[in-house]
């Protein structure tokens, strides 16, 4: 015998008025609830939201209903509903209907009742403002009544009638107000459910509500319980997989406010079937509620959801798709429309065509035209020209090129199994920064000057050469607070000596791509505009410690792109030119399709 499952559905406010037998519904507030606590602002905001929905629906229908938060209840043996969560909204609706009880009669409706385990049951049925200060419950109930009075006071009787007509519209397909009705099974522990929902105010996420929909329908489809158990198990496996940051940040640029990442898959499933889900509360729940209440098999609908996840997982596991799709999703923010479009493309073509289509998409994103329109020579010239002309002023374009350079480098040798760490890249805010110091951005404030010199001094003291030690003594003397005024050199003199020593005093490609790489925000903030040798020391220390450093950033500071062996502490104009050539050649080979996977 399978366990009872929770009942879940979209239920109109009109349906809250009656029970399953058509009698006035009776709600019961148990002792573990804190009582009614909404203030006038919260009541007014609810009325404003409902009214805004009514007005927008009249002018240009955008949604068939306005959805309130879930109402979690449990059916008692005597026919009453124990309210586990949603008491505040339910009580506010009760007060509103009581306030306009004459209009309720005009509409041929009868209100529901609310009883309390430990409070005066009669007060809510007949609100007495003279008793408002007897206890905190009475006070807030009277405050809500007053808020409704003031809100309706600025409107005529027809506005109030229109509000109630929409609120109590009994046409389930019409424009009305609904709640997500979540009815616990009779054997569920209501106190445990209340604790989970209210300790720290953890709400039911939309994904949890969709899960309940599937399990309820699965229980009806398969009375053995096997289907519901399989869906629950597979759900947990998908959820666990998406909790892996390397998977999640491959797909998305930021984390969700709620921890239930599986919601992305359900949004995609709804989007793939043409249901707009952006910006609408509980739109995904509404989509699956309609499907599963329309006598459609839970197994068939679940298979569609699982197929979408399996496609995403295949993208992640395939090394070529992981890097190229990772670039596309990073550039577009991982929006639903982009992922849905990519899913549709992958379903409509074989793997080779899909991979080639991705290369074309990346080319359009980077260069703005079609890949097929250029010969290999023309392609190389176009990419080289872009690399030579783009600079720090177009930071977004530079960041795109440097990220793609890293990904294309990783894909060049099919024997490599290194994967780009999108999670570290996104969480640690890696962005573009100068490789060597910039001549027109010298620190101007005394504090910034001292900080810059201290970074240089830390490096110089680790060097063994006599020239480095002599320069270190000069910097230390400048920073010594006990030195006699006028006896030390000026910052400009010390700064000049340092730049001259590290061969960064001459004009060079300060803001060109040849002097730019990806640096994380922490290093960037701490060593802003430091000389090449200082940044090199910091980055290589991080790399030795196992801290994520993009491959091409590491290669820059190891001078892997330089054709001639020189002093590893200096970044020369020739180093910069060799680095620029490597970027353009690597990107050209990537777009031509030489080497790597996905061919």
């Amino acid at each position: 015998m399978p366990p009872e499952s929770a009942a879940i559905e979209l239920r109109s406010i009109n349906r809250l008025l009656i029970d399953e037998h058509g009698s006035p519904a009776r709600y019961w507030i148990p002792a573990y609830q804190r009582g009614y606590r909404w203030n006038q602002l919260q009541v007014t905001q609810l009325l404003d939201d409902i009214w805004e929905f009514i007005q927008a629906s009249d002018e240009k229908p955008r949604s068939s209903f306005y959805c309130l938060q879930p109402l979690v209840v449990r059916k008692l043996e005597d026919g009453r509903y124990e309210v586990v969560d949603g008491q505040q909204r339910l009580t506010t609706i009760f007060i509103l209907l009581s306030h306009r009880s004459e209009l309720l009669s005009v509409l041929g409706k009868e209100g529901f009742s609310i009883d309390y385990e430990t409070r005066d049951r009669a007060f809510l049925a007949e609100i007495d403002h003279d008793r408002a200060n007897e206890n905190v419950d009475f006070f807030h109930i009277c405050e809500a009544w007053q808020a409704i009075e003031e809100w309706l006071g600025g409107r005529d009787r027809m506005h109030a009638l229109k509000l109630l007509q929409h609120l109590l519209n009994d046409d389930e397909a019409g424009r009305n107000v609904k709640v997500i009705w979540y009815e616990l099974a009779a054997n569920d522990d209501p106190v445990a459910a209340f604790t989970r929902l209210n300790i720290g105010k953890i709400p039911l996420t939309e994904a949890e509500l969709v899960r309940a929909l599937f399990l309820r329908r699965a229980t009806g489809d398969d009375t053995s319980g096997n289907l519901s158990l399989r869906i629950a198990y597979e759900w947990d496996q998908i959820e666990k997989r998406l909790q892996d940051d390397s998977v999640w940040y491959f797909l998305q640029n930021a984390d969700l406010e709620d921890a239930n990442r599986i919601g992305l898959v359900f949004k995609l499933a709804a989007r793939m079937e043409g249901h707009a889900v952006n910006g609408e509360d509980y739109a995904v729940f509404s989509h699956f509620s309609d499907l599963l209440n329309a006598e459609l098999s839970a197994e068939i609908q679940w298979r569609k959801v699982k197929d979408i996840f399996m496609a995403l997982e295949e993208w992640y596991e395939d090394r070529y798709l992981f890097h190229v799709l990772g670039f596309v999703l990073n550039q577009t923010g991982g929006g639903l429309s982009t992922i849905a479009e990519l899913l549709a493309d992958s379903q409509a073509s074989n793997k080779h065509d899909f991979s080639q289509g991705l290369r074309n998409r990346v080319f359009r994103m980077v260069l703005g035209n079609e890949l097929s329109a250029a010969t290999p020579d023309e392609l190389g010239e176009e990419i080289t020209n872009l690399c030579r002309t783009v600079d720090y002023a177009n930071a977004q374009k530079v960041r795109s090129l440097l990220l793609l350079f890293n990904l294309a480098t990783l894909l060049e040798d099919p024997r490599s199994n290194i994967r780009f760490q999108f999670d570290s890249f996104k969480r640690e805010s890696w962005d573009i920064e100068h490789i060597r110091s910039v001549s027109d951005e010298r620190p101007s404030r005394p504090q910034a000057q001292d900080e810059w010199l201290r970074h240089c001094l830390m490096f110089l003291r680790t060097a063994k050469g006599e020239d480095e030690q002599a320069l270190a003594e000069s910097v230390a003397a400048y920073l010594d607070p006990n030195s006699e005024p006028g006896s030390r050199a000026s910052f400009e003199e010390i700064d000049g000596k340092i730049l001259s020593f590290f061969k960064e005093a001459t004009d060079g490609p300060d803001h060109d791509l040849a002097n730019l790489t990806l640096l994380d925000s922490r290093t960037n903030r701490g060593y802003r505009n430091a000389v090449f040798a200082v940044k090199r020391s910091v980055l290589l220390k991080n790399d030795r410690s196992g801290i994520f450093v993009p491959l091409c950033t590491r290669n820059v500071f190891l001078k892997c792109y330089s054709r001639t062996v020189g002093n590893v502490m200096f970044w020369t104009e020739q180093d910069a030119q060799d680095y620029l050539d490597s970027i353009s050649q690597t990107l050209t080979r990537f777009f031509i399709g030489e080497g790597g996977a996905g061919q």
Side-chain angles (χ1 to χ4, degrees):
M1 182 76 177
E4 291 185 77
S5 61
I8 184 167
E9 62 180 278
L10 283 166
R11 182 169 288 194
S12 67
I13 299 300
N14 182 68
R15 280 282 288 112
L16 298 184
L17 305 184
I18 57 175
D19 61 21
E20 69 271 25
H21 304 297
S23 302
R26 295 173 296 146
Y27 297 93
W28 182 67
I29 310 298
Y32 58 77
Q33 295 272 13
R34 65 173 182 162
Y36 186 68
R37 292 295 181 273
W38 267 22
N39 57 37
Q40 289 196 16
L41 177 60
Q42 289 168 301
V43 174
T44 300
Q45 286 175 337
L46 175 63
L47 293 171
D48 285 342
D49 288 345
I50 295 173
W51 187 253
E52 181 184 350
F53 159 74
I54 293 171
Q55 296 295 96
S57 297
D58 286 347
E59 296 169 6
K60 184 180 179 181
R62 58 177 183 177
S63 178
S64 60
F65 62 91
Y66 174 80
C67 190
L68 298 176
Q69 298 290 320
L71 177 62
V72 183
V73 300
R74 186 177 72 113
K75 188 71 173 292
L76 301 176
E77 291 183 359
D78 61 7
R80 292 180 298 171
Y81 295 107
E82 177 180 354
V83 179
V84 177
D85 193 51
Q87 177 205 167
Q88 309 299 319
R89 292 176 295 279
L90 183 67
T91 304
T92 302
I93 291 169
F94 179 92
I95 297 170
L96 173 62
L97 298 179
S98 298
H99 192 284
R100 282 294 184 266
S101 57
E102 80 284 359
L103 293 180
L104 202 61
S105 299
V106 169
L107 295 171
K109 307 290 184 180
E110 185 177 352
F112 56 83
S113 64
I114 299 180
D115 292 334
Y116 295 88
E117 182 176 12
T118 58
R119 302 177 183 91
D120 188 337
R121 304 178 181 184
F123 183 81
L124 192 59
E126 191 171 340
I127 298 171
D128 183 355
H129 294 271
D130 292 335
R131 299 176 61 192
N133 293 321
E134 285 188 16
N135 60 57
V136 67
D137 287 344
F138 291 1
F139 173 79
H140 282 287
I141 289 170
C142 290
E143 284 283 287
W145 180 283
Q146 184 62 32
I148 294 169
E149 180 79 29
E150 292 176 2
W151 192 89
L152 290 173
R155 296 166 173 83
D156 58 29
R157 179 182 172 86
M158 292 306 297
H159 281 79
L161 180 60
K162 185 175 183 179
L163 175 70
L164 261 65
Q165 282 177 323
H166 280 80
L167 192 67
L168 301 176
N169 187 349
D170 57 7
D171 177 7
E172 291 296 323
R175 295 194 301 272
N176 54 16
V177 179
K178 295 183 180 181
V179 299
I180 295 177
W181 176 269
Y182 192 103
E183 186 175 336
L184 299 173
N187 58 358
D188 283 338
D189 183 348
V191 177
F194 171 80
T195 301
R196 192 192 76 76
L197 292 168
N198 289 278
I199 298 301
K201 295 307 293 179
I202 304 172
L204 280 169
T205 64
E206 188 170 32
E208 288 175 308
L209 297 169
V210 172
R211 184 178 192 271
L213 276 176
F214 270 99
L215 295 182
R216 184 197 66 173
R217 183 55 202 248
T219 301
D221 291 347
D222 177 13
T223 56
S224 71
N226 291 333
L227 177 59
S228 58
L229 288 173
R230 178 163 59 82
I231 290 176
Y233 172 77
E234 291 174 348
W235 181 294
D236 290 343
Q237 294 301 110
I238 293 173
E239 204 162 36
K240 181 179 180 181
R241 187 66 165 144
L242 290 174
Q243 289 301 320
D244 183 341
D245 281 345
S246 65
V247 177
W248 179 255
Y249 283 99
F250 156 63
L251 296 167
Q252 298 287 280
N253 284 1
D255 201 355
L256 295 177
E257 290 184 2
D258 63 76
N260 209 339
R261 296 176 176 179
I262 197 173
L264 172 67
V265 182
F266 288 100
K267 288 180 181 178
L268 285 169
R271 185 65 177 256
M272 294 289 286
E273 295 195 13
H275 192 111
V277 295
N278 289 331
E280 290 187 33
D281 291 338
Y282 299 102
V284 174
F285 175 86
S286 173
H287 170 75
F288 284 102
S289 177
D290 290 343
L291 289 179
L292 296 172
N293 286 328
E295 301 304 319
L296 294 177
S297 163
E299 184 166 21
I300 291 174
Q301 294 306 316
W302 176 247
R303 190 181 303 125
K304 291 180 181 179
V305 172
K306 195 168 68 168
D307 285 347
I308 288 175
F309 170 74
M310 291 174 67
L312 299 179
E313 189 170 42
E314 181 184 359
W315 292 355
Y316 174 82
E317 295 294 344
D318 185 287
R319 193 165 177 273
Y320 176 82
L321 295 179
F322 171 80
H323 288 97
V324 181
L325 282 167
F327 176 82
V328 172
L329 295 175
N330 178 78
Q331 297 301 106
T332 59
L336 286 178
S337 59
T338 300
I339 301 178
E341 182 183 336
L342 290 167
L343 283 168
D345 288 346
S346 67
Q347 292 170 357
S349 56
N350 59 43
K351 185 175 179 180
H352 176 273
D353 291 343
F354 180 57
S355 298
Q356 184 59 38
L358 285 178
R359 189 180 283 111
N360 294 338
R361 180 188 286 261
V362 171
F363 191 80
R364 288 194 300 272
M365 295 174 76
V366 173
L367 283 99
N369 50 29
E370 292 298 322
L371 176 58
S372 59
T375 66
D377 289 342
E378 291 171 338
L379 179 63
E381 185 177 347
E382 190 173 357
I383 292 174
T384 299
N385 184 59
L386 174 63
C387 291
R388 287 175 178 171
T389 56
V390 73
D391 60 22
Y392 194 78
N394 193 343
Q396 185 175 354
K397 177 68 74 174
V398 170
R399 189 176 187 273
S400 297
L401 286 171
L402 291 175
L403 175 59
L404 185 59
F405 176 44
N406 274 270
L407 302 178
T409 299
L410 285 168
L411 288 173
E412 277 209 296
D413 192 334
R415 296 172 299 176
S416 173
N417 60 2
I418 300 174
R419 293 166 70 91
F420 191 78
Q421 296 179 33
F422 284 107
D423 51 338
S424 297
F425 178 73
K426 294 175 181 180
R427 286 186 301 175
E428 295 168 13
S429 302
W430 285 77
D431 211 337
I432 60 171
E433 188 46 66
H434 298 89
I435 296 171
R436 68 167 184 79
S437 61
V438 180
S439 57
D440 60 359
E441 291 186 8
R442 312 315 303 157
S444 57
R445 294 179 294 106
Q447 182 178 355
Q449 292 172 348
D450 289 354
E451 183 179 6
W452 189 83
L453 290 175
R454 287 191 190 98
H455 292 322
C456 295
L457 181 59
M458 283 190 295
F459 170 77
L460 290 168
R461 281 177 169 166
T462 63
K464 298 179 180 180
E466 293 183 3
D467 293 340
E468 287 90 338
Q469 293 306 310
L471 184 56
E473 291 178 11
S474 298
V475 176
Y478 175 88
L479 293 172
D480 185 356
N482 298 316
S483 61
E484 293 292 331
S487 65
R488 64 178 186 173
S490 66
F491 171 77
E492 287 71 24
E493 291 175 305
I494 294 293
D495 180 56
K497 287 183 179 180
I498 291 174
L499 294 181
S500 178
F501 176 80
F502 287 110
K503 303 187 185 305
E504 297 185 11
T506 59
D507 293 335
D510 278 358
H511 301 295
D512 296 346
L513 183 60
N515 191 39
L516 298 172
T517 192
L518 293 171
L519 281 180
D520 65 295
S521 58
R522 181 180 62 253
T523 302
N524 190 16
R525 285 194 304 269
Y527 300 91
R528 184 172 180 82
N529 206 28
V531 294
F532 173 80
V534 171
K535 290 179 180 176
R536 179 183 189 275
S537 176
V538 173
L539 264 294
L540 295 186
K541 179 181 178 182
N542 289 345
D543 188 53
R544 288 194 301 271
S545 301
I547 298 173
F548 169 69
V549 177
L551 177 61
C552 296
T553 298
R554 177 179 179 274
N555 289 347
V556 162
F557 287 99
L558 286 174
K559 301 186 73 170
C560 294
Y561 302 113
S562 301
R563 293 189 178 93
T564 58
V565 178
N567 193 316
V568 295
M569 296 302 141
F570 306 143
W571 184 251
T572 67
E573 289 189 38
Q574 186 58 53
D575 292 325
Q577 183 58 55
D578 293 344
Y579 170 54
L580 190 66
D581 291 343
S582 293
I583 295 175
S584 61
Q585 290 164 10
T586 301
L587 294 182
T588 299
R589 288 193 297 270
F590 170 78
F591 285 120
I592 291 174
E594 294 180 356
Q599 309 308 314

